[in-house]
Amino acid sequence: MTAVASDAAGKDRGAAAGKPRGQAAQHKFEMNIEETRITLVGQQTFQTFAYAGQVPAPLFHVREGDHVEVVLNNLTTLPHTIHWHGLLQRGSWEMDGVPDMTQLGIQPGDSFTYKFVAEPAGTMWYHCHVNVNEHVATRGMWGPFIIDPVKPAPIERDVTGDYILMFSEWASSWADKLGQGGMPGDVFDYFTINGKSFPETQPIRVKEGDVIRLRMFGAGGGFHSIHIHGHVFQIVFKDGHQLPAPINADTVLVGPGERYDIILRCDNPGRWMIHDHIDSHTMNGHTPHGGVMTLIEYDGIPRDQSYYHWAHKEFVPDFYYEESLRKPHGIHTNPNFKGTPVA
Amino acid sequence: MTAVASDAAGKDRGAAAGKPRGQAAQHKFEMNIEETRITLVGQQTFQTFAYAGQVPAPLFHVREGDHVEVVLNNLTTLPHTIHWHGLLQRGSWEMDGVPDMTQLGIQPGDSFTYKFVAEPAGTMWYHCHVNVNEHVATRGMWGPFIIDPVKPAPIERDVTGDYILMFSEWASSWADKLGQGGMPGDVFDYFTINGKSFPETQPIRVKEGDVIRLRMFGAGGGFHSIHIHGHVFQIVFKDGHQLPAPINADTVLVGPGERYDIILRCDNPGRWMIHDHIDSHTMNGHTPHGGVMTLIEYDGIPRDQSYYHWAHKEFVPDFYYEESLRKPHGIHTNPNFKGTPVA
Amino acid sequence: MTAVASDAAGKDRGAAAGKPRGQAAQHKFEMNIEETRITLVGQQTFQTFAYAGQVPAPLFHVREGDHVEVVLNNLTTLPHTIHWHGLLQRGSWEMDGVPDMTQLGIQPGDSFTYKFVAEPAGTMWYHCHVNVNEHVATRGMWGPFIIDPVKPAPIERDVTGDYILMFSEWASSWADKLGQGGMPGDVFDYFTINGKSFPETQPIRVKEGDVIRLRMFGAGGGFHSIHIHGHVFQIVFKDGHQLPAPINADTVLVGPGERYDIILRCDNPGRWMIHDHIDSHTMNGHTPHGGVMTLIEYDGIPRDQSYYHWAHKEFVPDFYYEESLRKPHGIHTNPNFKGTPVA
């Protein structure tokens, strides 16, 4: 078996370049599921079943109506699928990815090809549908699937920067026990944005006048009550769909499976926290000041104060897929999220 | 004592038949509270205090302004009441059913008669208000109370099928310990729709063109983040009251005590999951692929694929009170929900 | 060190009296953080780090645009700060109160002066930002910060009574272990409104025709699904900001960090429960009928029925800061919430 995780974005660019506006593009992608070990924070590693070896999984970024084909190779020791959460699968319900319902689970060593049209527009995602208590809740089997609308809403056209934040939690007692975990009563003691806990998350760097869109995902089985300092933001989309009217807020509750897109106007230079207000979700195990936490850093605000925790932070771009989302449509892997193979 | 659980629906039909449009009907019902044992799934039974011996309790389905009288006989070993959740009780606050606040708890062997006007319109419910940590959270003392409006909203008039889904959870360690349980820290390990866990729930069978209304209830003490595949539905009512505008979504978070009515247009033939996205709520104890899960089955989609978990499913109608809701107004028992008496 | 907790409200009155309408007032306040022991209910005490020695902390009640200066003296054994949750801190991000991000934690024996403009209008609050898992979730370091708008919305002008309800939870195993607690997996077993569990909460006394505003705060790390009997209320504000349209409901879910202002028209004389529908939140440890529970009592409804739990209740005004909120703008302490010093 010579399956590889290959980014089809290059092909897509070519394919899309010659097409008249409004015509559907074709996106093809081949992806392995691999057993990897990721590092949540510090010494805390966690074994995962990882699409393309990464957590979060590759970014799908396509246009409404595009055709998508994914060859999925299961290189792990347990069965898996992909459910494309929020996609309609009109005329293609057997591509919906639910074991024993729309297909058989893909056995170890086997492959399955998903083919479907990307609709409706919005912030969607994908995840395994086998043993979701383990595979989704605590093995990192999820990634973002962004479908740009043919006709964007006016408020979307203001956006200058687009960010993916997938929230999840981890029960460290199961870290090295692939095939187990996610039971009722489990104690989840690590909490992450895109698979990392503070201080190993990354700042969101903006300049005054930016208008940022934060796409928030309840990717695990837990709740996240996300508070942002220094701004009144607008909750504009739920589950990819525009709300009847934007809701002004400083805190947004993201439940399991839900997505909320918020739009925040960068009109208040400073250094501002973004964090989960479920207080225990700022713990890394028994250590406070971690978990679901990051900062908005404005250009022009000095970052070298001696008291600043991130004064010497090494900045890693694309941690929120913000660079990938600027690229032409396609499927984008991200080396930041790569784990190491489990021996 | 000769108390019986009698369905007054027959009387109601007679009573309502001769009335001019707009005049209030009278509904009288006598109901015992009984100690029963229900089966959640497989071998997992649970002892309950059950109104009319069933979980969920009988369906009250009346019209706004109707008069309701319920004689409640407590045949169990502990005190109980009924609180009519969401009903105004205008001029009848002593019928509100809160022990030590609006009445004394109804002692074992005693009876109490509730009399009130059914208002406002909407998806309401009823439950015991004694020791709610046990009686509501884990002994099944709840049922639906649907009040049809005198003037339905336009969106309601599109509906072709109406379904009741009451979500709750169960801590198996208390299954056989009536009078105990529901403590802070309890591990709830079974999760049900109308008292049953998958695979012992029932499919929702529709045909293309149907417009279904799913009335969802947070009947227990837990949260349920309900995701439906293959459709964008509309969240139209909260707690029985129409929202200012429908919210498009694929997931709806139902908190304890809340009700959400969603309207789903059946425009996408296939086989589609409905499930709780709190991943551990798809467990039956330690076994995955259970809990709060069911499917929408479209007519015309073959149900006999070998891989389909429900290929040989015995279909039981009225599991969602969908048949009862088509009947004339009245109080409807349901043999599907009957337990067996605790010896 | 001669730090004192002094109420500057008197000064404010003087200052505001001579000012033309529309001009900003100045509010100065000096406040200690003290180690105190409060009583949640019965014999259950809890050690806190308490702003001005009280839980909830003093009420800040100012007008949009007012200038606020707070001298904070840390008389405890651990570092602390104040984060002004929901306030913009425009041009004053270093007053945002996040340790290692916008300032250093204020060490034991040290002081810090916060200076900022009070904006935007709405139901805001303040809390410590050091070790929030302990200090916010289970040591009572929070208080209300109400900013009246320069131009109130029409619906606000109907209000005849204004109430503060701060919800939180407590893990009794940490009651006497200052500096510990708030770990993932902790069992929270006491649940309070403004630091008290039923039956030691207070009734909300109204008369027919009143229009009350209940400002609800998710002050701890838990959820509260607040149900009110006998009324359809309107959810009007989230996080201090007016919703696009009021939402009619009988239950409102308040997540950690969130605030919801509801408006309830007192048109239904009776005695009506307000309680958390997360059933276990009505427990006091192992005892039912406690926790997050209170009642609305209408004038004219007799309170002396023998069955009424609160027939002989000693009424304590200002438990919801409802008296303080009628006073001129200022910072208001409340003797109801004072603890006793930890020896």
Side-chain angles (χ1 to χ4, degrees):
Chain A
M1 175 173 264
T2 60
V4 291
S6 65
D7 187 342
K11 286 175 225 143
D12 294 332
R13 272 196 295 277
K19 299 211 176 209
R21 177 178 167 77
Q23 193 173 331
Q26 301 276 345
H27 304 274
K28 292 192 183 188
F29 194 62
E30 184 168 2
M31 185 158 70
N32 296 335
I33 313 174
E34 301 165 16
E35 294 180 359
T36 73
R37 185 177 278 108
I38 63 170
T39 298
L40 306 178
V41 63
Q43 303 304 310
Q44 181 62 52
T45 62
F46 216 98
Q47 292 192 30
T48 68
F49 302 116
Y51 294 118
Q54 62 172 78
V55 179
L59 166 69
F60 284 67
H61 184 205
V62 305
R63 205 165 83 117
E64 192 182 359
D66 281 357
H67 292 256
V68 177
E69 183 176 328
V70 176
V71 178
L72 183 65
N73 309 301
N74 181 1
L75 306 190
T76 77
T77 51
L78 286 172
H80 302 288
T81 63
I82 294 180
H83 167 60
W84 312 90
H85 185 125
L87 277 74
L88 291 177
Q89 301 290 358
R90 281 198 290 190
S92 56
W93 67 267
E94 285 164 300
M95 296 289 127
D96 198 43
V98 186
D100 304 330
M101 305 295 178
T102 66
Q103 67 171 102
L104 283 170
I106 309 164
Q107 294 301 312
D110 282 357
S111 297
F112 189 91
T113 300
Y114 292 96
K115 286 184 70 168
F116 53 86
V117 173
E119 60 170 347
T123 299
M124 308 302 170
W125 61 306
Y126 61 104
H127 60 79
C128 184
H129 224 291
V130 177
N131 292 10
V132 293
N133 60 294
E134 185 202 358
H135 298 193
V136 177
T138 201
R139 295 288 169 210
M141 299 195 75
W142 30 259
F145 199 114
I146 308 303
I147 306 178
D148 287 337
V150 172
K151 294 186 186 176
I155 198 169
E156 291 180 278
R157 292 195 290 254
D158 293 346
V159 171
T160 61
D162 204 336
Y163 298 78
I164 300 283
L165 293 86
M166 303 191 83
F167 304 117
S168 71
E169 37 278 309
W170 311 81
S172 62
S173 55
W174 301 113
D176 295 318
K177 296 176 183 166
L178 274 184
Q180 300 176 63
M183 318 302 271
D186 274 6
V187 174
F188 288 83
D189 51 357
Y190 285 81
F191 309 92
T192 57
I193 310 173
N194 295 347
K196 286 286 185 188
S197 307
F198 183 87
E200 298 184 25
T201 51
Q202 290 291 326
I204 291 178
R205 293 193 165 167
V206 303
K207 64 176 187 302
E208 197 175 354
D210 280 352
V211 179
I212 61 175
R213 177 182 193 155
L214 306 182
R215 302 181 192 249
M216 300 182 175
F217 299 70
F223 290 80
H224 300 277
S225 192
I226 305 299
H227 173 48
I228 302 182
H229 290 206
H231 299 80
V232 180
F233 57 74
Q234 296 185 288
I235 309 173
V236 181
F237 296 85
K238 169 174 164 49
D239 302 345
H241 306 290
Q242 195 167 5
L243 289 169
I247 294 169
N248 292 326
D250 60 41
T251 306
V252 56
L253 177 60
V254 185
E258 291 190 302
R259 289 86 66 211
Y260 286 97
D261 293 20
I262 69 165
I263 288 183
L264 182 148
R265 290 169 198 279
C266 299
D267 56 6
N268 192 13
R271 183 185 301 144
W272 304 108
M273 295 289 291
I274 299 177
H275 68 95
D276 196 334
H277 229 289
I278 300 178
D279 300 305
S280 63
H281 292 186
T282 61
M283 300 291 279
N284 294 336
H286 288 238
T287 307
H289 289 279
V292 172
M293 207 189 298
T294 185
L295 289 109
I296 300 176
E297 294 181 335
Y298 275 72
D299 288 354
I301 301 296
R303 295 182 185 131
D304 57 357
Q305 282 110 326
S306 59
Y307 67 76
Y308 183 27
H309 195 287
W310 274 354
H312 302 287
K313 177 77 175 173
E314 185 191 8
F315 180 67
V316 178
D318 213 27
F319 179 76
Y320 300 101
Y321 273 126
E322 75 278 7
E323 300 294 335
S324 296
L325 282 163
R326 294 185 192 282
K327 294 179 186 167
H329 287 147
I331 294 104
H332 304 289
T333 56
N334 190 325
N336 295 326
F337 301 140
K338 269 282 189 189
T340 54
V342 171
Chain B
M1 175 174 263
T2 60
V4 291
S6 66
D7 187 343
K11 287 175 224 144
D12 294 333
R13 271 196 296 277
K19 300 211 177 210
R21 178 178 167 77
Q23 193 174 330
Q26 301 276 347
H27 304 275
K28 292 191 184 190
F29 195 62
E30 185 169 359
M31 183 158 71
N32 296 335
I33 312 175
E34 301 165 15
E35 295 180 358
T36 73
R37 185 178 279 108
I38 63 170
T39 299
L40 306 178
V41 64
Q43 303 304 310
Q44 182 63 51
T45 62
F46 216 98
Q47 292 192 30
T48 68
F49 302 115
Y51 294 118
Q54 61 172 79
V55 180
L59 166 69
F60 283 66
H61 184 205
V62 305
R63 205 166 82 117
E64 192 181 1
D66 281 358
H67 291 256
V68 177
E69 183 176 328
V70 176
V71 178
L72 184 65
N73 310 302
N74 181 1
L75 306 189
T76 77
T77 52
L78 286 172
H80 303 287
T81 64
I82 295 181
H83 167 60
W84 311 91
H85 186 126
L87 275 76
L88 293 178
Q89 300 290 359
R90 281 198 290 190
S92 56
W93 67 267
E94 284 164 300
M95 295 290 127
D96 198 44
V98 187
D100 304 330
M101 307 295 178
T102 66
Q103 67 171 102
L104 284 171
I106 308 164
Q107 295 301 313
D110 282 357
S111 296
F112 189 92
T113 300
Y114 291 97
K115 286 184 70 169
F116 53 86
V117 174
E119 60 169 348
T123 299
M124 308 304 168
W125 62 306
Y126 62 104
H127 59 81
C128 185
H129 224 291
V130 176
N131 292 10
V132 293
N133 61 294
E134 185 203 358
H135 298 193
V136 177
T138 200
R139 295 287 170 213
M141 298 195 75
W142 29 259
F145 199 116
I146 307 303
I147 306 178
D148 287 338
V150 172
K151 294 187 187 176
I155 198 169
E156 292 179 276
R157 292 196 290 254
D158 293 347
V159 171
T160 60
D162 205 336
Y163 298 79
I164 301 284
L165 293 86
M166 304 192 84
F167 304 117
S168 70
E169 38 278 309
W170 311 81
S172 62
S173 55
W174 301 113
D176 295 318
K177 297 175 183 166
L178 272 184
Q180 302 176 63
M183 317 302 273
D186 273 5
V187 174
F188 288 83
D189 51 356
Y190 285 81
F191 310 92
T192 56
I193 310 173
N194 295 347
K196 285 287 186 188
S197 307
F198 182 88
E200 298 183 27
T201 52
Q202 289 291 327
I204 291 177
R205 293 193 166 167
V206 303
K207 64 177 187 301
E208 196 174 355
D210 280 352
V211 178
I212 61 175
R213 177 182 195 156
L214 306 182
R215 302 181 191 249
M216 301 183 175
F217 300 69
F223 290 81
H224 300 276
S225 191
I226 304 300
H227 173 49
I228 303 182
H229 291 206
H231 299 81
V232 181
F233 57 76
Q234 295 185 288
I235 308 173
V236 180
F237 297 86
K238 168 174 165 49
D239 301 345
H241 306 291
Q242 195 168 5
L243 290 169
I247 294 169
N248 292 325
D250 60 43
T251 305
V252 57
L253 177 61
V254 184
E258 291 190 302
R259 290 85 67 210
Y260 286 97
D261 292 19
I262 69 164
I263 289 183
L264 182 147
R265 289 167 199 281
C266 299
D267 56 5
N268 191 13
R271 183 185 300 144
W272 304 107
M273 295 289 290
I274 299 178
H275 67 96
D276 197 334
H277 229 288
I278 300 178
D279 300 304
S280 62
H281 292 186
T282 60
M283 299 291 279
N284 294 337
H286 288 239
T287 307
H289 289 277
V292 172
M293 208 189 300
T294 185
L295 290 109
I296 299 176
E297 295 182 335
Y298 274 71
D299 287 353
I301 301 296
R303 297 184 183 127
D304 57 356
Q305 282 110 326
S306 58
Y307 67 76
Y308 183 27
H309 195 287
W310 273 355
H312 303 288
K313 177 76 174 174
E314 184 191 6
F315 180 67
V316 177
D318 214 28
F319 179 77
Y320 301 100
Y321 273 127
E322 76 278 7
E323 300 294 336
S324 296
L325 282 163
R326 294 185 192 282
K327 294 180 187 167
H329 287 146
I331 295 103
H332 304 288
T333 56
N334 190 325
N336 294 326
F337 301 140
K338 270 280 188 188
T340 56
V342 171
Chain C
M1 175 174 266
T2 61
V4 290
S6 65
D7 187 343
K11 286 175 223 143
D12 293 333
R13 273 197 293 277
K19 299 210 180 212
R21 176 178 168 79
Q23 193 173 330
Q26 302 276 344
H27 304 274
K28 292 192 183 189
F29 194 62
E30 185 168 0
M31 184 158 70
N32 296 334
I33 312 175
E34 301 165 14
E35 294 180 358
T36 73
R37 184 178 280 108
I38 63 171
T39 299
L40 305 178
V41 65
Q43 303 304 309
Q44 182 62 52
T45 62
F46 216 98
Q47 293 192 29
T48 67
F49 302 116
Y51 295 117
Q54 62 171 79
V55 178
L59 166 70
F60 284 66
H61 184 205
V62 304
R63 204 167 83 116
E64 192 183 0
D66 281 357
H67 292 257
V68 177
E69 184 176 327
V70 176
V71 178
L72 184 65
N73 309 300
N74 182 0
L75 306 189
T76 77
T77 52
L78 286 172
H80 302 288
T81 63
I82 295 181
H83 167 61
W84 311 91
H85 185 126
L87 275 76
L88 292 177
Q89 300 291 358
R90 281 198 289 190
S92 57
W93 66 267
E94 284 164 300
M95 296 289 126
D96 198 44
V98 186
D100 304 330
M101 306 295 178
T102 66
Q103 68 171 101
L104 284 170
I106 307 164
Q107 295 301 312
D110 283 357
S111 296
F112 189 91
T113 299
Y114 292 96
K115 286 184 70 170
F116 52 86
V117 173
E119 61 170 346
T123 299
M124 308 304 170
W125 61 307
Y126 63 104
H127 60 79
C128 184
H129 224 292
V130 177
N131 292 10
V132 294
N133 60 296
E134 184 202 358
H135 298 193
V136 177
T138 199
R139 296 286 170 211
M141 298 195 76
W142 30 259
F145 200 115
I146 307 303
I147 307 178
D148 287 339
V150 172
K151 294 185 186 176
I155 198 169
E156 292 179 277
R157 291 195 292 255
D158 293 347
V159 171
T160 61
D162 204 337
Y163 298 79
I164 301 284
L165 293 85
M166 303 191 83
F167 304 117
S168 70
E169 37 278 310
W170 311 80
S172 62
S173 56
W174 301 113
D176 295 318
K177 297 176 182 165
L178 274 184
Q180 301 176 62
M183 317 302 273
D186 274 5
V187 174
F188 288 82
D189 51 357
Y190 286 81
F191 310 92
T192 57
I193 311 173
N194 296 347
K196 286 287 184 189
S197 307
F198 182 88
E200 299 184 25
T201 52
Q202 290 291 326
I204 291 177
R205 293 192 166 167
V206 303
K207 63 176 187 302
E208 196 175 355
D210 280 352
V211 178
I212 61 175
R213 176 182 193 156
L214 305 182
R215 301 180 191 250
M216 300 183 175
F217 299 70
F223 290 80
H224 300 276
S225 191
I226 304 300
H227 173 49
I228 302 181
H229 291 207
H231 299 80
V232 180
F233 57 76
Q234 296 185 289
I235 309 172
V236 181
F237 297 87
K238 168 174 165 49
D239 301 347
H241 306 290
Q242 196 167 4
L243 289 169
I247 294 169
N248 292 326
D250 60 43
T251 305
V252 56
L253 177 60
V254 184
E258 291 189 302
R259 289 86 65 210
Y260 286 97
D261 292 19
I262 69 163
I263 288 182
L264 182 147
R265 290 168 198 278
C266 299
D267 56 6
N268 192 13
R271 184 184 300 143
W272 304 108
M273 295 288 291
I274 299 178
H275 68 96
D276 196 334
H277 230 290
I278 300 178
D279 299 305
S280 62
H281 292 185
T282 61
M283 299 291 279
N284 294 336
H286 289 238
T287 306
H289 290 278
V292 172
M293 208 190 297
T294 185
L295 288 110
I296 299 176
E297 294 181 336
Y298 275 71
D299 287 353
I301 301 296
R303 295 181 185 132
D304 57 356
Q305 282 110 326
S306 59
Y307 67 76
Y308 183 27
H309 196 286
W310 273 356
H312 302 288
K313 177 75 175 174
E314 185 191 7
F315 180 67
V316 177
D318 214 29
F319 180 76
Y320 300 101
Y321 273 127
E322 75 280 6
E323 300 294 335
S324 296
L325 282 163
R326 294 185 193 281
K327 295 179 186 169
H329 287 148
I331 295 101
H332 304 288
T333 57
N334 190 325
N336 294 328
F337 302 140
K338 269 282 189 187
T340 55
V342 171

